[in-house]
Amino acid sequence: MKKDHQAAALTLDEKIRLLTGRDFWTTHPIDRLGIPAIRLSDGPHGVRKAAGLEETGIGTSVPATCFPTAATLACSWDEALLRRVGQAIGRECRHQGVHVLLGPGLNLKRHPLGGRNFEYYSEDPLLSGKLAAAFIRGVQGEGVAACVKHLAVNNQETDRMRVDARVEPRPLHELYLRNFEIAIREGRPLTVMTAYNRLNGRYCSEDPWLLREVLRRRWGFRGIVLSDWGAVNDRAVALLAGLNLEMPGNGGVSEAVLRQALEEGRICEADIDELVDELLEVVLRLHEAAGEPAHAADCDAHHELAIEAAAAGMVLLKNEGEVLPLAEASHLAVIGAFAQKPRFQGGGSSQVVPTRLSSLWEALSARWPADRRSFAEGYPDDGTIDETRINEAQRKARAADVAVLCVGLPDSYESEGFDRTHLNLPPGHVALIRAVAAVQPRTVVVLTAGAPVAMPWRDAVPAIVLAGLPGQGGGEALARILSGQVSPSGKLAETWPRRLEDTPAWLDWPGAKGVAPYGEGLFVGYRWYDTRRIEPLWPFGHGLSYTAFEYLGLEVGKPSFAADEPLELRVRIRNAGTRPGTEVVQVYAHAETDVWRMPEQELAAFAKIELMPGETRTLVLTLDRHVFHRWDRRRSDRVAVGGTWELRVGSSSRDIRLHTRIEVKTPPLAPVLDRFASVREWMQLPFGKKRLEPLVETLAREMAGPEAPPEGVEFMRTVLYDLPLHKLVGFTHGRFSHAMLEEMLARAGVEGGTSA
Ligand code: BGC
């Protein structure tokens, strides 16, 4: 069947059928026209293909490589790596006959307790968007569609099917939609999944502003929009909003709803045709791609990539006295059940059945002779305090040179479906850390968690490695890091708070009575901590290395430039240590404006550089022009913020090594003119000045009274200049008439003359 006039060949029933899934995972085929079904699968950090089409298949899916979860991948800050991971997953999709991978997930991490934070990248939209775009390019390069999810503002699990996220326009556009915009413009995904929740009063699956105005018109999206599983409340409303595909299938329930809506005239056939055309274009394109020869899905190579990605995403939080890397001759006490039975991903729809699984104990055993290592479980599966196990762990730790202590969040603490209620590790893990640290000063804590945890024990141990949720290669990756085979280079993609009360959304989280107010506005993550001068537990961008990097110099392409041009930065860096290492260089922008309310600093660019000991190189970073743009509510658009900006270059958001100032030149902005614009704003136009100045002058004198001193007249002038234009009609008792008002609006080209 030809691609360009698909809907025309279908009967109405066939078209309606196509708009809802056939079962849990596929679309309807139309056999008589040779239109095939497509198969969708979770996502995001590996293929989770359910064995049957009518089952969710969590825990029983076809084995696939389990890469690190998004939270851990993001700590690599490595677009090239994300692309390779996407590519490997794309190949496995092809191998398993999957056409759409339900990922990446890239909602911002608004709050550390968010149950699905491990499935998302970062609290920063630039980092999230860039990594997602790279991942999408990797997946789609293999002829498989990526599905960007969950559009939009899906930041909590509490009441996730109904909650109304209330977000002001500026944070919405600068943060919560910005990550999606970058991913969609730069990654060009073929599909997008709508979120369960409401956004400013409307369900995301049923919001024409979100799906048509923002996604398609503004961002130029040209694929299909599908619902999250069960996210549609009214199929007819969703259809009018532009939702192509409702998932999963529901045995014809939605078909009946659409037929009735047609009969009642709430929708018409042309609405259906438009969505069917868009849907079929993607379906046919994916089938064409599926017919092309595919790359082999090489299990061994993908396992190796999973190890590489896990190592790149691990973050060395602390390393006092260079406890790490472990000296070859040391006797190790490996403590904690996670060392043998690793937790490597989060719970819920993203849970992949791995092709194999590497544990830290096994990986260390391949490196350390049996007489120089011992193991103790430390805690039972449920993480409760178990004195017998703790005593055994203490004994082994005391007898060793170093204790490697594996603790973290168990499955029951962190999953899709619920938010956490606190930041604590299980009590048995905390008791174990304290007990082992008391007898072994060289204790390395290895932390498995997809989100921040509290660390009341931070000062009791010299070294902490965040293993994250590292996927099936986690054990081997950790062994490479601990042994020094790989120098850590991961950096935190979110801020770790000292306590919940310090978090930006503390007062509003998770909302009440169906509403989640986003009262912190623009101040999400480090934007909050840096502006409020709150000391975090670990700052955004933090992560140590086994070597040391010196930031030698910073040059900017042009110290003064127009806001619409990209800007080049050159940073000279030296590896001043004795080991090869990789540094993530971060650029933050700080605006010196008092016109706009701004966070203290915002991530403007980042790049990775690998250096041999003693090597010096210059890294070139390009700042996108959007760095200097902010959302203007009255214009409903981004505008450039001119003036002086400081660019800060460093190794974390709190470890700035170099800075420079630049001047951003912007063309003068025409005022936004409508009946509510002030007299002062209208007077910026020559005809406005001519008409209004004499009027204001007369009125100010009249209203001040004949005996008024000059400051009395001046006061009235100020009041009148600040008046919304339409109020002059009343203030002048009609001397400035409604007709004159309308004429001014028409002359300024204000549409309909009525905007507020
Ligand atoms: C999740 C999606 C997932 C879908 C299919 C939903 O519950 O929110 O992320 O892709 O299920 O499993």
Side-chain angles (χ1 to χ4, degrees), residues 24-25 41-44 48 56 58 102-103 105 116 119-120 147 149-150 154 157 160-161 193-194 196 226-230 247 348-350 416:
F24 230 88
W25 301 112
S41 281
D42 282 307
R48 190 181 68 80
T56 56
I58 294 172
L102 302 175
R116 290 186 92 168
E119 277 188 69
Y120 299 146
C147 181
K149 68 188 189 184
H150 310 87
N154 181 223
E157 292 300 273
R160 69 168 166 165
M161 293 263 180
M193 186 192 291
T194 55
Y196 285 129
L226 54 105
S227 73
D228 198 345
W229 269 230
M247 287 302 288
S349 62
S350 67
E416 177 181 344

Side-chain angles (χ1 to χ4, degrees), residues 91 180 215 218 241 328 357 361 433 539-540 544 559 613:
R91 288 181 184 180
F180 282 97
L215 177 64
R218 241 177 221 285
E328 250 174 63
L357 182 58
W361 176 249
I433 299 171
F540 178 79
L544 305 173

Side-chain angles (χ1 to χ4, degrees), residues 66 68-69 72 115-119 314 336-348 350-351 357-360 379 381 406-416 418 420 425-426 429 446-451 453 467-475 478:
C66 180
T69 59
T72 300
R116 290 186 92 168
N117 280 9
F118 69 87
E119 277 188 69
M314 289 180 182
F338 280 175
Q340 287 195 345
K341 284 190 259 162
R343 176 160 183 263
F344 56 100
Q345 61 180 333
S350 67
Q351 215 176 297
L357 182 58
S358 117
S359 75
L360 176 60
Y379 46 81
D381 277 348
C406 299
V407 294
L409 297 176
D411 283 329
S412 59
Y413 273 55
E414 197 179 23
S415 169
E416 177 181 344
F418 60 88
R420 286 187 297 161
L425 289 179
H429 293 221
V446 172
L447 187 65
T448 298
V453 299
L469 290 180
Q472 69 180 49
L478 259 174

